[in-house]
Amino acid sequence: MRVNGAEVEAAVDPRTSLLDLLRETLGLSGTKKGCDQGACGACTVLADGERILSCLALAVQYAGREITTVEGLAGPDGPHPLQRAFIDHDGFQCGYCTPGHLCSAVGMAAEAARGVPSYVTADLTADRVVLDRDEIRERMSGNLCRCGAHNGIVAAIAATYAAGPGERA
Amino acid sequence: MNPFGYARAADAADAVRLGSAPRAAYLGGGTNLVDLMRRNVVAPATLVDVTGLSSAIEERPDGGLLIGAAARNTAVAEHRAVRARYPLLARAILAGGSAQIRNMATVAGNILQRTRCPYFYDVAGSRCNRRHPGQGCDAIDGHNRDHAILGGSPACVATHPSDMCVALAAADAVVHLRGARGARVLPLTELHRLPGDHPEIETELEAGELITAVELPPLPPGAASGYRKVRDRAGYAFALVSVAAVLRVERGVITAVRLALGGVAPKPWRARTAEQALLGAPADPATFRAAARTELAAAVPLRHNAFKIELAERTVTAVLADLAGEAR
Amino acid sequence: MTTSAHGRAPVGPAPENWAGPVPDPLTDPARTRRIGEPMPRLEGLAKVTGRIKFAAEHAYPGMLYAALACSTIPKGRITALDVADAERAPGVVLVMTHRNAPRMNPMPGFGSDPKAGGFDTLPVLQDDRVHWNGQPIAVVLAETQEQADHAATLIRVGYAPEPAVTSWEEAVANGTAPTTIYGGPGRRELGDAEAALRAADVSVDEVYRTPYHNHAAIEPHAATVLWDGDELFVHDTTQMVAHSAWSLAKIFGIPEERVHISAPYLGGGFGGKGLWWYQVLAAAASRLAGRPVRIALTRENVFRTVGSRARTEQRVAIGATADGRFEAIIHTGASATSRSADLSEPFILPAQCTYAARTFKLGVEVAYLDMMANTSMRAPGGAVGSFALECAIDELAVKLGMDPIELRLRNEPRQEPIDGRPLSARNLVRAWRAGAERFGWDRRNPTPGAVRDGEWLIGMGCAAATHPYVRSPGAAARITLHRDGRAEVEVAAHDMGMGTATAQTQVIADRLGLEPHQVTFRFGDSRLPGLVMAGGSQQTAAIGAAVAAAHRELLAQLLKLVGDGSPLGGLEPDQVGSLDGGVAALDDPSRHESYADILDRAGRDRLVAEAVAQPPEELTARSMHSFGAMFCEVRVSSVTGEVRVTRFLGSMDCGRIVNPRTAASQFRGGIIMGIGLALTEELVLDDRTGRVVNASLADYHIPVHLDVPEIDLIWTDIPDPHAPMGARGIGEIGITGTGAAIANAVYNATGRRVRDLPITPDKLL
């Protein structure tokens, strides 16, 4: 498995989730455990660019995959534009759901860029997704926030991606 | 979670071979199975990873589609042909879970997901006939707002949670199976069983039998289709009631209709009684409402879920009215 | 006013008595530069890059992982406990039950001592008794979490159940009992309210119900525990480090200074993060095993072993004259509680302060259930009490044929309604008027069900929000001033996402005349000074007062250091203030010397000033409350009964706003939790067993993004002359009024009045 660009090898108990592998074995505690049952989105990471829930992913099933966590979002020039936007728009309070939101939004932008519709998309056959507020809110509804930073989160995502879907993904 | 072995199947034959081991279970995206194992609801000895099996979505000569069992939910919902020709299916998939879950979950895994009845999940503290046959059911006299009004039994009133299956039921989907005794096909509406006296037997699958594909026949030409889900919050929640429908109206008369309900029964509920009442009848709200009533005449409400009868009637009526508007 | 060349005035010592006529100099905008700025969160970059470490993210060599086994009956005795299989399971190091747990003292119940922090007073794992369904009965320690979790499922338990009260109806039928509100009276009366109600021209008299609510912080409770001899170190997630440390010391019978709790960051708290069983169990097990222990509660554990907001049943009756003057306000009822702790819902708080009336009858009682101890959750009392009161006012407005805002304005008090204390900077009327204009209230059609867009019915509603100003005694601060002009300020306070550290850095910069980058604010550690709980929306005031006291002490020390050659020579502490990185004379800011020069000349590397905040006399002398006017627009499906909040405005009156960016987030956070309270949240306890039914985030519905509209905010920003910096609390008020504003909007949209929360689709069919 590659994690944030680095090859990692770990012998794991088949019971070990990708989330626990990241947090306990690899020491990458940026990915959070909010429910451990796929109901909150705090553990969202990218597997080959697709957003998934690492708590419901058995680590053994992800051998050979490229995993990106919040620790791997930043580029050589510093934080990812979305990370900066979260700060600018106060898109978090306690920060516990934040890594999951960030990874989820990056994956969401890629989905939108390739035209994946959502439940609120009026025309399912449209070629292009316009990431308006409703689209962002629906597509991000798998990430819970209890502090109530929803407005800032949506604003940060809109500022980063709404101009052109996925252009900065 | 109990300790278990893990094996990755190279193809369907390999999977069936591996799946014949005692207490083996097939693992797709894991979005339901891993949770069930972690909460000790199920404890397989071996997981056979079948995500390497076919995930292709192929056009059929008859204009239908064949969807590999390992296709991820997102892949189905975003597929051009699904979006264009089976909007009810695309919409139903997009109504289910979250984007992350849809990226992980496979088509077969979605079909075979277990009920979300909280008593089913509470292994240590609640009784459940589905989990432990003969133990009793804590839902029937307990908190049963989310439970079934149709198709339940004194042994079990749990609902099937899938959105996708409701659309598949309305789309006349057929599942392709493969087991030790060979391959066979089964209409999706005949795959899941009603609980009766044996809620622990949830499907017609034989031991070790595997879903390899789902086949969608073409919808009736000129028909409109859609899916609507009613839930307690605006997103990321299981259905209180959902409706999948296919409708064709010609000169004001219904000439084709397929209707299925979710959130109301232990299996995706094909509303054939309502369909009979609708076919050939004028496409107006009074007809829709009356047909829905006919279907729900058999409903048996529990202490907390009588509202689902009215809610289902209204949602059916609204969905059909929308489709009738579209079809005209 | 006398100002410096930069146009600013020195910041002199804060008042000795906050109730007195002299306000904090920082209430004066001319003396502040950073207060009022929307400074981004200091820890922002660390949070968005995943570098902040939470309680379950510290690892130690030899650390063991804990898992809990919990009871499945509400009351009785454990008669059989077979742990042999669990002990034999791979990786298991210890199975701790009541048989082998160390003897410990009971938890000191919150309120029983200023430092007591236990939200439950039961002895932890000391006998075979079961007091609630879900109570921990064993702890497994193993080398990995997977091993511990599995072994916990192998424990077999037999019980002798005893009759238990597990249904609300039964508890109420058994009789309710009077209670207190944080030690104060649980009953307030003025005149004969029942008689006034009967004689009133117009009246309403209704019952409102609210269910149990769970805090549902996204970070589950967790602790990493180490013993070093008889010294205990805990990485915890708690809103009360000092209380928890003192209480753990009592439980283990060791001196307070031997317990050290570190909790710099919390993944949300909302009242739910205090001292519960898990920290005690982890510490006890760690002591037995002789190894560090991490306990990270599963989400199900959180629902079963950490208390929730109690359900309530409230009667609100209001009698009014034909022109809408309140003759009587009656707000009574009961809230559920366990026998081992009573933090019942003080739902009469809004009725005590929001409106004038000729007579009052207010009272909270409790109904006892055999259940997990309940606890405070964001705006205890206010969140659910304002729902009942503000809906009743809306119902009365309908009966009177009067605009509901006009009805509220007509009953604006001139003093604290029951005891007559003078009001302190109450500007709710201004908030109502500004809010109504911004929201477009005049476009509301008062006829229910009259506005429609296709299948969607559209309505507007409003309600008053209120939360008391709180400042508990005991907050202290230590300022360390360095020769290079930097200052460290240390307070045993908390930042669970409110922006405490950022806002306090701004305040400290202004108080000390420094730039924010010269200030380091340290918090979240029991070894820091004082006693500040992150509760009651009090931290801004409590920390502000503590730092103000330490600043007074610092000025005195600085003056002792200045020699005759200093421009400050001969001045008394009350004659000087901080300005531009130094000290200046209040009446002549040109008499100024920098901190660096003062320390340099005195040959000192640093100066340390520590002080305890003045007692909160302003609380008893004045009527001090935060207020707000909440406006909301909803769309209700006439087909399915689904409700969508489409617009929301909070027009707030909370004194001076220290940081508009983080304050807005606090208000929005409260309002969004209020959307959950109104529409989606209900923790269900099975009537037969007292067991939480929906013990998961899939089944306990907190709002998702699609439930949350863009929330507009405005505020009066009028300083309160009796609060430090002029700032009253802002953290909890957002959830108050919101439930009623939504319910009232649903009524306006549909003509349906829902009096039992949450307003789920089934209630609107």
Side-chain angles (χ1 to χ4, degrees):
Chain A
M1 188 186 295
R2 289 175 68 81
V3 177
N4 298 330
E7 203 70 41
V8 298
E9 273 193 48
V12 297
D13 186 330
R15 292 177 292 186
T16 304
S17 65
L18 177 58
L19 174 61
D20 285 334
L21 175 78
L22 293 168
R23 285 170 63 86
E24 303 300 326
T25 312
L26 304 179
L28 292 170
S29 59
T31 305
K32 301 304 180 195
K33 185 184 282 189
C35 70
D36 216 21
Q37 58 193 92
C40 78
C43 67
T44 304
V45 299
L46 300 165
D48 299 320
E50 297 254 310
R51 50 179 169 162
I52 62 160
L53 298 177
S54 62
C55 76
L56 294 180
L58 293 176
V60 288
Q61 215 180 359
Y62 285 77
R65 305 284 294 274
E66 171 80 46
I67 305 299
T68 306
T69 70
V70 69
E71 290 95 339
L73 289 182
D77 308 328
H80 189 284
L82 187 66
Q83 290 173 312
R84 290 200 187 283
F86 265 58
I87 297 173
D88 292 344
H89 294 274
D90 212 29
F92 55 90
Q93 293 190 38
C94 77
Y96 198 81
C97 73
T98 312
H101 264 101
L102 288 162
C103 288
S104 183
V106 170
M108 185 275 292
E111 289 160 12
R114 67 171 202 257
V116 180
S118 85
Y119 186 67
V120 301
T121 306
D123 178 6
L124 289 174
T125 61
D127 291 326
R128 193 166 163 273
V129 172
V130 178
L131 279 183
D132 60 18
R133 274 186 51 85
D134 282 355
E135 283 283 359
I136 293 173
R137 291 193 302 148
E138 159 63 20
R139 289 164 189 267
M140 293 302 296
S141 280
N143 289 83
L144 302 184
C145 166
R146 188 54 158 170
C147 293
H150 304 72
N151 284 185
I153 292 166
V154 172
I157 293 170
T160 308
Y161 294 115
E167 69 177 5
R168 285 195 250 174
Chain B
M1 210 184 282
N2 276 292
F4 58 85
Y6 170 86
R8 198 170 165 82
D11 53 35
D14 192 31
V16 170
R17 187 180 56 76
L18 292 165
S20 65
R23 291 173 51 226
Y26 295 117
L27 172 69
T31 55
N32 187 212
L33 184 57
V34 171
D35 187 27
L36 291 166
M37 290 168 65
R38 189 172 284 139
R39 300 217 244 163
N40 215 28
V41 181
V42 298
T46 307
L47 289 188
V48 180
D49 185 343
V50 291
T51 54
L53 274 56
S54 172
S55 59
I57 302 174
E58 300 164 30
E59 297 273 355
R60 303 291 276 180
D62 64 357
L65 290 176
L66 185 71
I67 301 169
R72 309 285 174 171
N73 285 197
T74 302
V76 179
E78 75 172 299
H79 194 273
R80 292 242 148 245
V82 175
R83 285 153 65 184
R85 301 191 329 239
Y86 302 93
L88 79 169
L89 178 59
R91 190 81 71 189
I93 290 174
L94 295 170
S98 67
Q100 291 95 314
I101 289 174
R102 298 192 292 270
N103 283 341
M104 300 172 78
T106 62
V107 166
N110 186 321
I111 292 171
L112 293 177
Q113 67 181 303
R114 312 288 298 276
T115 181
R116 259 55 175 201
C117 171
Y119 298 101
F120 171 71
Y121 266 83
D122 182 19
V123 174
S126 300
R127 296 176 306 151
C128 174
N129 290 319
R130 193 173 281 266
R131 169 164 39 77
H132 288 110
Q135 189 181 42
C137 169
D138 272 337
I140 285 183
D141 296 316
H143 186 76
N144 46 36
R145 181 171 176 273
D146 297 332
H147 289 72
I149 52 172
L150 290 165
S153 76
C156 182
V157 288
T159 54
H160 193 268
S162 171
D163 291 293
M164 183 187 79
C165 284
V166 183
L168 292 180
D172 274 346
V174 171
V175 288
H176 291 228
L177 309 176
R178 180 166 180 151
R181 292 193 291 169
R184 60 174 179 143
V185 296
L186 205 59
L188 180 102
T189 50
E190 291 172 28
L191 178 72
H192 298 95
R193 289 168 51 117
L194 291 177
D197 293 335
H198 287 283
E200 75 280 9
I201 307 172
E202 297 182 347
T203 69
E204 297 293 342
L205 291 177
E206 292 171 6
E209 203 170 22
L210 176 73
I211 297 178
T212 55
V214 173
E215 185 174 353
L216 293 173
L219 294 185
S225 83
Y227 184 76
R228 182 163 179 177
K229 180 176 185 180
V230 184
R231 41 190 156 178
D232 278 329
R233 63 181 172 191
Y236 205 12
F238 292 102
L240 293 170
V241 163
S242 69
V243 174
V246 178
L247 185 73
R248 185 175 62 203
V249 178
E250 291 169 302
R251 280 190 275 260
V253 174
I254 298 165
T255 58
V257 62
R258 296 176 197 167
L259 186 66
L261 304 179
V264 294
K267 61 182 281 186
W269 190 264
R270 182 71 182 260
R272 295 198 194 271
T273 311
E275 288 176 13
Q276 277 175 10
L278 289 163
L279 196 62
D284 58 49
T287 306
F288 302 148
R289 180 95 191 179
R293 283 223 168 106
T294 320
E295 186 70 38
L296 289 153
V300 181
L302 304 164
R303 183 155 64 125
H304 300 118
N305 70 0
F307 73 94
K308 283 189 175 182
I309 299 174
E310 171 76 13
L311 183 58
E313 286 179 10
R314 287 166 171 235
T315 311
V316 166
T317 307
V319 167
L320 292 175
D322 273 359
L323 292 178
E326 237 179 87
R328 269 190 204 111
Chain C
M1 183 195 306
T2 316
T3 59
S4 75
H6 308 294
R8 287 190 306 279
V11 177
E16 298 265 21
N17 180 351
W18 294 94
V22 181
D24 183 354
L26 291 187
T27 57
D28 175 4
R31 286 187 165 82
T32 57
R33 301 174 61 213
R34 300 303 177 188
I35 293 177
E37 278 193 351
M39 198 162 117
R41 286 168 202 276
L42 297 172
E43 76 287 7
L45 188 61
K47 280 183 174 170
V48 300
T49 51
R51 284 191 279 111
I52 293 273
K53 286 226 183 287
F54 292 89
E57 295 167 356
H58 301 270
Y60 289 90
M63 185 177 80
L64 297 170
Y65 293 79
L68 299 180
C70 298
S71 78
T72 56
I73 63 161
K75 192 177 182 183
R77 289 181 183 279
I78 298 167
T79 52
L81 193 53
D82 179 357
V83 299
D85 287 350
E87 284 175 338
R88 275 196 298 269
V92 171
V93 171
L94 173 73
V95 179
M96 186 177 82
T97 69
H98 68 273
R99 293 178 185 152
N100 61 343
R103 296 302 97 184
M104 295 176 272
N105 300 311
M107 279 206 215
F110 180 71
S112 63
D113 180 281
K115 290 184 169 183
F119 284 129
D120 192 351
T121 55
L122 293 167
V124 179
L125 220 62
Q126 297 295 293
D127 56 31
D128 61 357
R129 295 216 57 91
V130 172
H131 302 271
W132 83 88
N133 201 327
Q135 173 188 318
I137 54 172
V139 183
V140 177
L141 298 185
E143 302 288 347
T144 70
Q145 189 68 59
E146 290 82 5
Q147 291 168 336
D149 290 343
H150 173 56
T153 67
L154 303 176
I155 294 170
R156 283 185 292 276
V157 195
Y159 299 100
E162 293 169 9
V165 179
T166 51
S167 94
W168 168 256
E169 289 72 20
E170 186 185 352
V172 171
N174 289 343
T176 54
T179 188
T180 58
I181 297 177
Y182 309 124
R187 191 170 189 82
R188 303 283 300 276
E189 291 200 52
L190 181 69
D192 186 345
E194 297 286 0
L197 179 73
R198 283 191 298 273
D201 297 336
V202 183
S203 66
V204 292
D205 192 345
E206 298 289 350
V207 174
Y208 302 84
R209 294 181 178 85
T210 64
Y212 299 101
H213 294 140
N214 188 272
H215 309 80
I218 303 296
E219 179 207 25
H221 298 62
T224 306
V225 175
L226 298 89
W227 286 93
D228 181 4
D230 69 346
E231 199 144 338
L232 174 62
F233 181 80
V234 185
H235 292 283
D236 198 2
T237 176
T238 177
Q239 300 170 227
M240 39 204 315
V241 282
H243 295 78
S244 290
W246 182 89
S247 302
L248 281 172
K250 287 280 175 243
I251 291 167
F252 288 99
I254 54 179
E256 183 183 2
E257 59 275 11
R258 298 263 167 86
V259 180
H260 181 184
I261 295 183
S262 168
Y265 295 101
L266 283 71
F270 319 113
K273 296 242 172 104
L275 183 62
W276 294 97
W277 279 44
Y278 74 92
Q279 299 103 322
V280 181
L281 290 169
S286 172
R287 196 167 216 191
L288 270 190
R291 289 168 67 173
V293 165
R294 174 180 315 152
I295 187 164
L297 297 190
T298 64
R299 183 54 62 179
E300 184 180 348
N301 286 159
V302 173
F303 277 103
R304 299 203 195 286
T305 70
V306 174
S308 294
R309 190 204 298 281
R311 71 183 282 174
T312 70
E313 191 170 292
Q314 309 170 46
R315 173 195 176 206
V316 180
I318 306 173
T321 60
D323 64 348
R325 315 261 166 205
F326 294 166
E327 289 288 294
I329 294 181
I330 296 172
H331 195 163
T332 57
S335 133
T337 195
S338 73
R339 298 218 177 248
S340 58
D342 175 9
L343 273 172
S344 48
E345 280 293 308
F347 50 72
I348 61 173
L349 292 178
Q352 286 183 12
C353 68
T354 312
Y355 301 102
R358 200 165 57 75
T359 66
F360 280 92
K361 177 182 166 188
L362 313 176
V364 183
E365 304 215 321
V366 286
Y368 291 105
L369 282 90
D370 292 300
M371 63 177 215
M372 173 77 217
N374 56 282
T375 195
S376 299
M377 177 168 153
R378 204 172 201 159
V384 295
S386 66
F387 164 68
L389 177 67
E390 295 292 321
C391 283
I393 288 173
D394 201 68
E395 299 199 45
L396 183 67
V398 171
K399 277 200 174 173
L400 286 162
M402 189 180 287
D403 179 84
I405 296 178
E406 177 54 33
L407 176 60
R408 289 177 170 94
L409 296 181
R410 209 163 275 198
N411 291 284
E412 177 70 10
R414 297 209 178 90
Q415 56 187 20
E416 178 85 356
I418 298 177
D419 63 28
R421 278 176 296 159
L423 306 178
S424 183
R426 175 176 171 134
N427 295 285
L428 177 56
V429 172
R430 193 188 290 209
W432 272 119
R433 297 217 160 103
E437 187 183 336
R438 186 171 175 106
F439 193 73
W441 184 255
D442 59 350
R443 295 198 296 274
R444 172 182 182 259
N445 186 327
T447 307
V451 184
R452 181 184 269 271
D453 173 14
E455 76 170 61
W456 296 88
L457 298 162
I458 301 171
M460 291 190 203
C462 67
T466 181
H467 193 268
Y469 167 87
V470 178
R471 186 165 76 80
S472 302
R478 179 164 57 227
I479 303 174
T480 303
L481 192 60
H482 292 272
R483 200 168 182 166
D484 60 5
R486 283 181 308 110
E488 281 160 25
V489 178
E490 297 168 299
V491 183
H494 311 81
D495 193 345
M496 50 185 179
M498 308 89 93
T500 313
T502 308
Q504 288 300 333
T505 297
Q506 294 171 261
V507 171
I508 292 162
D510 277 349
R511 197 169 300 280
L512 300 185
L514 298 173
E515 294 299 324
H517 70 82
Q518 296 173 295
V519 174
T520 306
F521 181 66
R522 294 193 203 285
F523 57 97
D525 191 302
S526 65
R527 297 212 162 154
L528 301 179
L531 192 65
V532 186
M533 179 179 69
S537 301
Q538 65 167 315
Q539 283 204 132
T540 300
I543 301 168
V547 174
H551 177 236
R552 167 181 284 278
E553 167 68 18
L554 181 73
L555 289 174
Q557 288 194 27
L558 284 163
L559 280 190
K560 282 186 195 151
L561 292 186
V562 304
D564 292 343
S566 163
L568 302 169
L571 291 169
E572 295 297 320
D574 279 345
Q575 296 173 310
V576 298
S578 288
L579 182 72
D580 294 342
V583 181
L586 291 177
D587 61 359
D588 179 7
S590 68
R591 292 177 67 183
H592 178 276
E593 188 167 21
S594 72
Y595 297 135
D597 285 350
I598 297 172
L599 265 63
D600 220 23
R601 195 140 39 75
R604 298 284 291 269
D605 283 334
R606 61 201 176 102
L607 200 57
V608 180
E610 184 171 335
V612 178
Q614 274 79 9
E617 291 175 43
E618 71 273 23
L619 283 171
T620 44
R622 310 272 167 182
S623 167
M624 294 174 70
H625 305 272
S626 282
F627 287 104
M630 303 302 209
F631 298 83
C632 143
E633 178 191 271
V634 299
R635 294 164 74 90
V636 182
S637 167
S638 58
V639 174
T640 63
E642 291 165 292
V643 179
R644 301 284 181 262
V645 179
T646 45
R647 289 203 298 138
F648 203 101
L649 166 68
S651 175
M652 314 307 293
D653 175 41
C654 303
R656 190 152 189 217
I657 296 302
V658 174
N659 180 327
R661 178 193 302 252
T662 53
S665 290
Q666 282 282 83
F667 290 136
R668 288 195 176 99
I671 289 165
I672 291 164
M673 209 176 271
I675 292 173
L677 169 142
L679 299 179
T680 61
E681 294 185 36
E682 176 174 15
L683 187 72
V684 178
L685 271 61
D686 192 303
D687 273 355
R688 304 162 299 175
T689 61
R691 193 164 172 82
V692 176
V693 176
N694 51 345
S696 85
L697 289 180
D699 300 314
Y700 182 82
H701 293 142
I702 68 171
V704 299
H705 279 286
L706 204 53
D707 292 296
V708 179
E710 263 183 290
I711 293 165
D712 192 16
L713 290 164
I714 52 176
W715 46 75
T716 56
D717 212 15
I718 299 168
D720 189 318
H722 303 291
M725 297 84 70
R728 294 190 300 252
I730 60 170
E732 293 169 270
I733 187 169
I735 194 175
T736 75
T738 296
I742 293 171
N744 294 339
V746 167
Y747 173 79
N748 180 242
T750 65
R752 301 287 290 273
R753 187 66 75 177
V754 179
R755 300 187 186 89
D756 58 328
L757 294 180
I759 307 172
T760 43
D762 48 305
K763 294 174 185 169
L764 292 171
L765 292 177

